[in-house]
Amino acid sequence: MAPQTVAQLALEKGLAELDLGLYPGSLLMHAMSELAVVQKDDQLLKQALELFAKFKNKEINGRGSFISYGVGGSGAAYLNYLKKTDQLAQQVRTEADNMVKNQKRSSEGILTANWAKDSLDQVFIDIAFAVTPYLLYSGLAFDKPEYVDLAIHETLELFKVLKDPNGLLHQARGFQGYGKVSEDNWSRGNGWGAFALATLVRDLPRSHPKKKEVDRVAKEFFTTVLKYQNAEGMWHQEMIDTSSFVETSGSGLLLYGLGIAIENKIISRSHLPAFKKGLSGYLAYITRDGSVSHTCIGCLAPGKGTKQDYVNHKWKLNDSHAFGPVVLAFTQAAKMGIKEVKPLHGLGYYAALEQESRRPRTYVRYMPEANGNILWENDRIAFRVYGPPVKDRVSSGIDVWTKSVSYPIIDKWYRLNAEGKEYHVDRGEGNDFFHVGFGRGNGGTAIWHEGKPYISQPYATHRILKNTDEEIAFELVYAPWEVGNFKVSERKVISMKMGTNLFKVESTFQTDHKGPLTVGIGISYADKPELITDSQKGMLAVWESYLPKNGELGTVVLANPDIIRGFAPYGKEHFMLVNAKPGKPITYYAGAGWNKSPQFKIKQDWLTYLQQELTELAF
């Protein structure tokens, strides 16, 4: 695919998706400006100028941390500098003068965000993107050498303040305490640095006394960046941690900067294959409609600013930061004469997987590679039962996996777990914090005999009966287990549909015992639960705090009041006791609701939901 075609696809998608008044829009507008210039596309240039004019008349509200965003950012200054128009001069100069006079500065004279705290001397590498190119092109266009000097000072000082001994950049200083620098090597942070440095490399006049220093810093930086490029030509969210996700916005900005460094002979042309490899790898994250996946969401010194805090920061499909870097990287490729880029894994390979994986649906999966566990989920919640290989550690209880997203998470969380990112940590989608062990979990069964529960081992055999987008169903058969002086076996059919927090269970017991059985349907709890038992409504409900980290969780068992004998505690569990006859199924529902999900915020939300469900359930 021609690189300019890829750039155009991402540009059109970005223009349709973004609020251009915010800084990701400014990045896209700069990229649009470069594409129009490289392509010598008068129509695209006209479109860009019309958009910049909307900043002047406030049809687009340019806003954010830097005054330059008010006119659309550095793209406007770039087109004015190249004399592509005479329409932008007044607004570009006015905002350049305004920024030099009124933008807040750090102790080193770095122009920083006006909201930054003086007491903490806060700076962050992102600001190089907002300041350096805008003042560089304004200074060159209006013969203001002091503006050019400020542009150079901005980037070189930020590189001094935020440089890691490994040669990469940290993102920020002053957000975890005065003088404290974040511990990361965040890809987009390094990309912001690459963007600012590349514009200096390309457009700072050779006669400038700081030109040699700029080129030296650029050579050292881009040579270091290449060391951390992965086998597919991309960079990871945390650049030195290859177990973190591939991050596309940082990768795009780094490729753009590398292309300029190669083109301007700052680094050897022998690195051109690495640049081309990066473009090929990038295409796997870009679809034919211009969608871009694996882009880190807004991120500024998260948590304590540790590497792990950056690793844990989530990504999304078509994040606002996604589009500008694609346009920049592939525009630079076109400028260097690259005619075609072949996708490494097929165009949009990873993005298409992500689009598909984010489609809400019901889903059940048997996992022989994970101890034979069986997991199921819908658009609200997920559950798990354990397989035979772990019978010495767990039994036949039912685990809860909380979700705050509507798309499936089972496959993703197991994949991340295999990479060392355990699913007991909430990375913005939910997590597994509900402990089951040998307990009943959320709706596991037992035979209640002589005042206590007798439990089975994990299921012996299974069979998936239905696995569609709207409903799942599967069968579990439990081998006979001893209950006093008799044995019992169980066959369970579990089913679940979309739009509910409950799954349905039909359990049939076989036994050599003469007479009726009492079945205990249990709920495990961790500490001090709020219990609600209502035999007339057929409900055993629990609301429990897992604060502060994991919020609050509601669990429930619902059954036909006609079969309920009562309720009983046992250890850290509470049981609903129901009558059962051998060979005759009992039907009940179980489920959970989390206060970090969209559906529930407080206990009353959970209880109200259960009351509504009770009016519609069929036993």
Side-chain angles (χ1 to χ4, degrees):
M1 181 175 282
Q4 58 267 37
T5 302
V6 181
Q8 189 67 42
L9 286 173
L11 174 61
E12 291 174 2
K13 183 71 172 178
L15 290 174
E17 294 269 339
L18 297 190
D19 177 347
L20 295 177
L22 297 173
Y23 74 89
S26 294
L27 178 64
L28 184 67
M29 289 296 297
H30 183 107
M32 183 183 189
S33 302
E34 293 213 10
L35 180 60
V37 170
V38 168
Q39 287 292 93
K40 299 179 180 178
D41 186 332
D42 291 340
Q43 190 59 40
L44 187 60
L45 177 61
K46 180 183 177 183
Q47 184 184 2
L49 293 175
E50 288 173 350
L51 288 171
F52 284 126
K54 290 184 177 182
F55 284 85
K56 183 177 181 180
N57 64 27
K58 303 303 180 185
E59 285 184 62
I60 298 176
N61 179 21
R63 61 203 187 277
S65 303
F66 282 85
I67 293 167
S68 58
Y69 297 153
V71 297
S74 56
Y78 179 65
L79 292 178
N80 181 69
Y81 155 71
L82 292 178
K83 296 182 169 58
K84 295 298 178 181
T85 178
D86 58 4
Q87 300 172 23
L88 294 172
Q90 182 182 357
Q91 67 193 85
V92 169
R93 179 157 191 169
T94 298
E95 291 300 75
D97 294 343
N98 191 8
M99 188 158 69
V100 170
K101 291 176 183 177
N102 298 314
Q103 195 76 41
K104 182 173 286 190
R105 303 197 187 197
S106 75
S107 59
E108 302 89 355
I110 297 169
L111 275 67
T112 190
N114 278 339
W115 48 256
K117 295 180 179 179
D118 292 330
S119 60
L120 295 175
D121 205 10
Q122 291 175 326
V123 296
F124 47 108
I125 190 60
D126 316 42
I127 63 185
F129 148 74
V131 173
T132 293
Y134 192 87
L135 289 184
L136 171 66
Y137 298 127
S138 297
L140 293 174
F142 304 123
D143 193 23
K144 302 280 283 187
E146 65 272 26
Y147 290 7
V148 175
D149 291 344
L150 261 177
I152 298 166
H153 180 81
E154 185 80 6
T155 292
L156 292 184
E157 283 300 311
L158 282 168
F159 268 68
K160 289 176 185 176
V161 169
L162 299 174
K163 187 175 181 181
D164 188 305
N166 66 20
L168 298 175
L169 298 173
H170 301 299
Q171 187 193 13
R173 180 192 70 190
F175 288 83
Q176 281 78 35
Y178 180 81
K180 186 169 177 59
V181 176
S182 56
E183 300 171 11
D184 64 294
N185 296 131
W186 178 43
S187 62
R188 190 161 69 235
N190 281 267
W192 292 131
F195 178 90
L197 195 54
T199 59
L200 292 172
V201 162
R202 183 182 66 190
D203 296 317
L204 182 66
R206 290 189 175 277
S207 59
H208 196 283
K210 288 284 188 178
K211 174 63 173 167
K212 287 185 179 179
E213 184 179 357
V214 166
D215 289 353
R216 176 187 60 79
V217 171
K219 181 176 182 178
E220 291 176 357
F221 177 68
F222 287 116
T223 300
T224 300
V225 163
L226 284 165
K227 294 178 183 178
Y228 298 98
Q229 190 180 30
N230 73 11
E232 296 181 344
M234 301 288 281
W235 287 267
H236 293 263
Q237 161 75 351
E238 176 58 42
M239 291 173 68
I240 66 173
D241 183 354
T242 56
S243 70
S244 64
F245 63 85
V246 168
E247 203 286 313
T248 51
S249 66
S251 292
L253 292 169
L254 291 169
L255 285 169
Y256 168 74
L258 280 166
I260 289 175
I262 293 168
E263 182 186 29
N264 289 271
K265 300 179 181 178
I266 299 299
I267 59 175
S268 169
R269 191 170 175 81
S270 65
H271 295 302
L272 184 60
F275 176 68
K276 291 181 176 178
K277 181 172 68 172
L279 298 171
S280 294
Y282 208 168
L283 283 180
Y285 299 87
I286 306 165
T287 67
R288 289 192 181 278
D289 74 345
S291 292
V292 186
S293 70
H294 290 70
T295 304
C296 176
I297 63 172
C299 182
L300 178 53
K304 296 181 179 179
T306 66
K307 289 186 183 297
Q308 194 60 45
D309 286 321
Y310 282 84
V311 169
N312 292 345
H313 210 70
K314 65 182 180 178
W315 59 269
K316 64 180 285 191
L317 180 73
N318 289 337
D319 181 78
S320 60
H321 302 84
F323 306 105
V326 174
V327 181
L328 286 168
F330 285 90
T331 296
Q332 179 60 27
K335 186 170 184 283
M336 294 167 70
I338 295 172
K339 302 297 183 186
E340 184 180 6
V341 181
K342 295 182 178 180
L344 194 62
H345 297 296
L347 184 65
Y349 175 79
Y350 292 120
L353 287 178
E354 173 59 14
Q355 285 176 319
E356 171 61 20
S357 71
R358 297 176 84 87
R359 179 171 54 84
R361 63 189 189 276
T362 55
Y363 179 51
V364 59
R365 181 178 175 188
Y366 165 62
M367 302 193 70
E369 73 277 25
N371 298 313
N373 293 345
I374 295 175
L375 293 97
W376 66 102
E377 63 179 316
N378 66 359
D379 54 333
R380 293 187 172 199
I381 194 79
F383 301 94
R384 171 174 62 171
V385 292
Y386 305 103
V390 288
K391 63 184 180 182
D392 294 332
R393 290 184 279 141
V394 295
S395 62
S396 53
I398 298 174
D399 195 15
V400 178
W401 280 19
T402 59
K403 291 172 55 171
S404 56
V405 294
S406 62
Y407 54 80
I409 50 81
I410 288 169
D411 290 344
K412 179 180 180 180
W413 289 6
Y414 267 104
R415 173 174 54 79
L416 291 175
N417 192 65
E419 296 171 0
K421 303 184 189 90
E422 61 179 30
Y423 42 69
H424 300 290
V425 175
D426 183 7
R427 296 182 174 84
E429 296 175 321
N431 68 328
D432 171 24
F433 59 84
F434 185 71
H435 180 68
V436 179
F438 288 95
R440 300 300 78 211
N442 185 190
T445 50
I447 300 299
W448 192 266
H449 182 65
E450 296 180 347
K452 68 177 184 178
Y454 287 79
I455 62 175
S456 65
Q457 290 186 340
Y459 73 87
T461 64
H462 83 283
R463 185 162 57 106
I464 293 177
L465 306 173
K466 182 181 287 189
N467 198 3
T468 71
D469 289 354
E470 297 299 324
E471 185 175 7
I472 60 96
F474 59 98
E475 175 192 78
L476 302 174
V477 175
Y478 295 86
W481 70 97
E482 292 187 355
V483 180
N485 59 358
F486 60 94
K487 288 187 175 183
V488 178
S489 64
E490 181 185 10
R491 175 183 176 271
K492 248 188 183 76
V493 175
I494 294 176
S495 59
M496 187 168 66
K497 298 180 180 180
M498 289 284 282
T500 177
N501 287 70
L502 307 177
F503 58 91
K504 181 180 180 180
V505 184
E506 294 177 314
S507 279
T508 305
F509 297 88
Q510 300 290 350
T511 180
D512 56 4
H513 178 64
K514 294 180 181 179
L517 296 173
T518 299
V519 174
I521 309 170
I523 295 179
S524 302
Y525 56 85
D527 192 16
K528 296 178 180 178
E530 296 181 61
L531 286 168
I532 298 172
T533 58
D534 191 328
S535 58
Q536 292 185 345
K537 292 180 178 178
M539 181 168 67
L540 166 62
V542 172
W543 185 262
E544 186 171 12
S545 171
Y546 291 83
L547 293 170
K549 184 168 65 172
N550 291 317
E552 296 177 296
L553 182 71
T555 45
V556 72
V557 171
L558 301 169
N560 188 332
D562 292 344
I563 67 170
I564 294 177
R565 289 190 58 183
F567 303 91
Y570 191 85
K572 282 198 164 184
E573 298 187 286
H574 213 84
F575 286 83
M576 174 188 285
L577 306 181
V578 302
N579 296 317
K581 294 180 180 180
K584 299 272 179 114
I586 61 168
T587 298
Y588 66 93
Y589 293 81
W594 189 36
N595 80 324
K596 292 189 178 184
S597 72
Q599 293 79 29
F600 312 106
K601 297 305 175 190
I602 59 176
K603 179 179 71 172
Q604 189 55 50
D605 294 339
W606 175 236
L607 296 178
T608 299
Y609 168 74
L610 295 179
Q611 295 294 341
Q612 293 170 347
E613 287 288 306
L614 279 169
T615 65
E616 299 180 8
L617 297 180
F619 297 104

